[in-house]
């Protein structure tokens, strides 16, 4: 844990790996390795005691060849310019892999939100929304939740934007609460695509997910929902963790009960009937399926040598370093890459945006059915690309698909004098 690999360098390496299998123009590839623009801003907001605080915030618009920039906003002390650039690139490739009509963007504020009260977070969020106003819009750039942000922050951003623009434009942001124009199924969507990807991967390997043992690192929205849905598929969740530590019971436990314990106490640690494990121990447990669902660089080259799982499904963005990826490919560990596995979030964001534009809501059943179709189709396309291109792993197969789609859109747009 704590590997210092620069995520932006990881992204560029992933693009280079795929480019070796593509007949793409060098100049176009350079374009696809850099964000189109990055906003870096200092936000000053008032604390409850009347004093002022200034914090650093970013929005990177990576690529808009296939549609409006799309991607979340995270609140985390580790947010940097390069991290946001990488995350925005991963969004562009993610949207292309699942073939939804968006480009990629990402934003972040370098804070620990637990240091602030709700009213302080509201003033800060509204100040960021006002700063973003000229850049975002239903057809320009559409933010969403990410690490440590959720419906509450999205509702504030929507309200700030609509108030300043003197209009209603719910599609300016996704991941809103249902009564503020959100979609059924959006909260569970990231975890749902992780579970679907795991099911498809086991199927591809001629194995059954029912009875498979599972460890989940990170127990926020993505990790906890993935664990519950994998449990519904018959998987046996034996270990989970969060930033405070983890719990392990080789006989398995009810992932929903662990979530209830976390909601009550703030952490999975101390859950009854399970032994403690560290995050690093959890990542190397002898399980069939490992789901890293926390932050970037959770598994580096050294740790990758000790990973015992046969299958890794990435719920987080960028949880494996490129060196770890190479070790795992050599060791024949199947990795379902983040840009497919966690794409459920942005896919249902797309459904939310469609519903907002049409002013017509879908049932949860329809959302989940359409999501399943998108993820299963994208997985099949990845497997085809893997077989046709003789690539080292499913990640490179995914980038081959995604880069081709973006390059085609760029080429078809023609020349601008
Ligand atoms: N933050 C999520 C992601 O990394 C969702 C983005 C979105 O819904 O636009 O994919």
């Amino acid at each position: 844990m704590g590997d210092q690999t620069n995520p932006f360098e990881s992204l560029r390496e992933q693009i280079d790996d795929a480019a070796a299998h593509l007949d793409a123009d060098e100049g176009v590839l350079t374009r696809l390795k850099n964000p189109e623009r990055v906003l870096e801003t200092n936000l000053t907001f008032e604390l409850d005691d009347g004093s002022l605080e200034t914090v650093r915030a970013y929005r990177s618009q990576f690529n808009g060849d296939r549609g409006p920039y799309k991607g979340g906003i995270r609140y985390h002390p580790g947010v940097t310019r390069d991290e946001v650039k990488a995350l925005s690139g991963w969004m562009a490739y993610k949207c292309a892999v699942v073939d939804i009509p968006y480009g990629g963007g990402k934003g972040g504020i370098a804070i620990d939100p637990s240091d602030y009260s709700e009213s302080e977070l509201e003033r800060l969020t509204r100040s960021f929304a006002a700063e973003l106003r000229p850049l975002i819009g239903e057809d320009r750039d559409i933010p969403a939740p990410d690490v440590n942000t959720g419906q509450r922050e999205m509702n504030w951003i929507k309200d700030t934007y609509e108030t300043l623009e003197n209009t209603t434009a719910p599609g300016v942001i996704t991941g809103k609460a249902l009564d503020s124009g959100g979609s059924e199924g959006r909260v569970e969507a990231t975890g749902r695509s992780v579970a679907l990807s795991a099911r498809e991967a086991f199927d591809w390997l001629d194995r059954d997910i029912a009875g498979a043992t599972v460890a989940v690192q990170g127990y926020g929205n993505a990790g906890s929902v993935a664990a519950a849905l994998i449990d519904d598929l018959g998987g046996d969740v034996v270990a989970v963790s969060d930033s405070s530590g983890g719990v392990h019971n080789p006989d398995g436990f009810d992932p929903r009960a662990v979530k209830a314990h976390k909601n009550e106490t703030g952490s999975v640690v101390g859950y009854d009937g399970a032994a403690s494990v560290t995050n690093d121990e959890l990542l190397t447990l002898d399980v069939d399926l490992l789901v890293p669902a926390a932050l970037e660089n959770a598994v580096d080259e050294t740790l990758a040598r000790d990973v015992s799982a046969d299958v890794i499904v990435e719920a987080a963005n960028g949880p494996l370093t490129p060196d770890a990826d190479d070790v795992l490919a050599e060791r024949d560990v199947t990795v379902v890459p983040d840009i497919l596995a966690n794409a459920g979030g942005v896919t249902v964001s797309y459904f939310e945006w469609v519903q907002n534009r049409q002013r017509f809501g879908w049932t949860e059943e329809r959302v989940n059915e359409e999501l399943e179709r998108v993820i299963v189709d994208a997985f099949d396309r990845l497997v085809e690309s893997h077989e046709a291109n003789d690539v080292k792993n499913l990640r490179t197969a995914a980038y081959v698909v995604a880069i081709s789609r973006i390059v085609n859109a760029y080429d078809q747009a023609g020349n601008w004098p």
Side-chain angles (χ1 to χ4, degrees):
M1 285 269 289
D3 183 278
Q4 293 306 303
T5 303
N6 179 335
F8 187 56
E9 292 308 321
S10 302
L11 168 74
R12 293 161 77 102
E13 230 176 292
Q14 291 161 349
I15 297 169
D16 282 338
D17 282 347
H21 300 271
L22 284 163
D23 182 24
D25 179 87
E26 201 53 45
V28 176
L29 285 172
T30 303
R31 168 183 174 75
L32 295 185
K33 279 157 76 173
N34 292 288
E36 290 175 18
R37 64 189 71 77
V38 184
L39 168 78
E40 180 168 350
T41 177
N42 293 308
L43 302 172
T44 300
F45 65 109
E46 194 179 311
L47 300 181
D48 292 341
D49 67 4
S51 63
L52 294 178
E53 185 155 319
T54 299
V55 296
R56 190 64 61 92
Y58 308 87
R59 180 78 182 167
S60 169
Q61 296 182 329
F62 193 87
N63 183 282
D65 294 337
R66 300 182 65 261
Y69 309 102
K70 184 83 189 84
I73 292 177
R74 67 171 53 179
Y75 291 179
H76 192 274
V79 166
T80 62
R81 188 183 175 95
D82 269 4
E83 186 198 44
V84 170
K85 280 161 62 178
L87 290 162
S88 68
W90 285 326
M91 285 310 305
Y93 295 107
K94 187 183 302 186
C95 293
V97 152
V98 288
D99 208 7
I100 56 174
Y102 287 140
K106 195 71 134 209
I109 307 183
I111 54 154
D112 180 347
S114 66
D115 292 345
Y116 300 94
S117 70
E118 178 159 357
S119 58
E120 289 169 339
L121 288 172
E122 180 171 355
R123 285 192 290 278
L124 172 61
T125 303
R126 287 189 187 276
S127 143
F128 193 26
E131 197 68 29
L132 289 173
R133 175 167 69 120
L135 299 181
I136 62 177
E138 292 184 310
D139 293 311
R140 276 194 205 123
D141 182 351
I142 305 146
D146 198 80
V147 174
N148 292 330
T149 60
Q151 294 181 338
R152 183 182 65 172
E153 289 75 16
M154 303 307 112
N155 301 341
W156 289 332
I157 295 173
K158 169 184 173 267
D159 180 66
T160 308
Y161 181 84
E162 290 184 333
T163 304
L164 294 174
E165 292 283 332
N166 189 28
T167 190
T168 57
V172 68
I173 193 149
T174 58
K176 305 176 290 292
L178 271 183
D179 290 330
S180 295
S183 174
E184 295 286 354
R186 174 62 185 86
V187 172
E188 299 79 22
T190 307
R192 188 171 292 279
S193 67
V194 172
L196 289 168
S197 300
R199 184 193 73 191
E200 293 303 297
F202 272 71
D203 204 35
W204 180 51
L205 296 168
D206 270 332
R207 290 176 60 169
D208 198 342
I209 191 145
T213 52
V214 187
V216 181
Q217 184 235 8
Y219 220 54
N221 180 42
S224 62
V225 173
L229 296 178
I230 292 170
D231 179 79
D232 290 349
L233 294 172
D236 206 359
V237 179
V238 297
V240 301
S241 69
D242 58 31
S243 54
S244 308
V247 286
H248 176 215
N249 181 344
D251 296 329
F253 44 62
D254 173 7
R256 290 182 172 92
V258 184
K259 179 63 177 163
H261 174 81
K262 182 175 162 94
N263 289 346
E264 232 169 77
T265 65
S267 170
V268 299
V269 174
Y271 177 69
D272 229 15
S276 306
V277 274
T278 65
N279 268 283
D280 279 5
E281 283 163 354
L282 178 138
L283 291 163
T284 53
L285 280 176
D286 187 9
V287 288
D288 299 311
L289 169 64
L290 174 65
V291 179
L295 293 169
E296 301 91 73
N297 298 341
V299 180
D300 63 10
E301 185 181 2
T302 316
L303 204 66
R305 294 189 198 290
D306 295 330
V307 163
S308 310
D310 305 318
V311 181
I312 298 180
V313 178
E314 295 182 323
N317 291 307
L320 312 185
T321 65
D323 290 342
D325 240 2
D326 288 341
V327 170
L328 293 164
E330 270 163 38
R331 296 188 48 221
D332 262 339
V333 176
T334 300
V335 177
V336 184
D338 46 6
I339 60 171
L340 170 73
N342 72 29
V346 72
T347 302
V348 177
S349 276
Y350 167 55
F351 299 159
E352 178 175 333
W353 179 82
V354 168
Q355 294 170 72
N356 291 157
R357 307 305 295 271
Q358 298 184 336
R359 311 271 169 171
F360 181 80
W362 298 2
T363 61
E364 186 176 358
E365 198 186 8
R366 175 165 179 199
V367 169
N368 289 343
E369 267 173 30
E370 298 269 0
L371 173 61
E372 179 162 357
R373 182 186 53 78
V374 168
I375 298 299
V376 171
D377 284 358
F379 188 88
D380 290 348
R381 186 72 195 84
L382 230 67
V383 168
E384 273 170 36
S385 159
H386 187 260
E387 280 156 16
N389 295 296
D390 193 25
V391 290
K392 68 176 176 189
N393 54 22
L394 286 174
R395 189 185 317 282
T396 304
Y399 276 91
V400 168
V401 173
I403 293 172
S404 312
R405 288 188 174 143
I406 299 176
V407 169
N408 288 345
Y410 179 75
D411 284 347
Q412 288 160 10
N415 291 318
W416 185 251

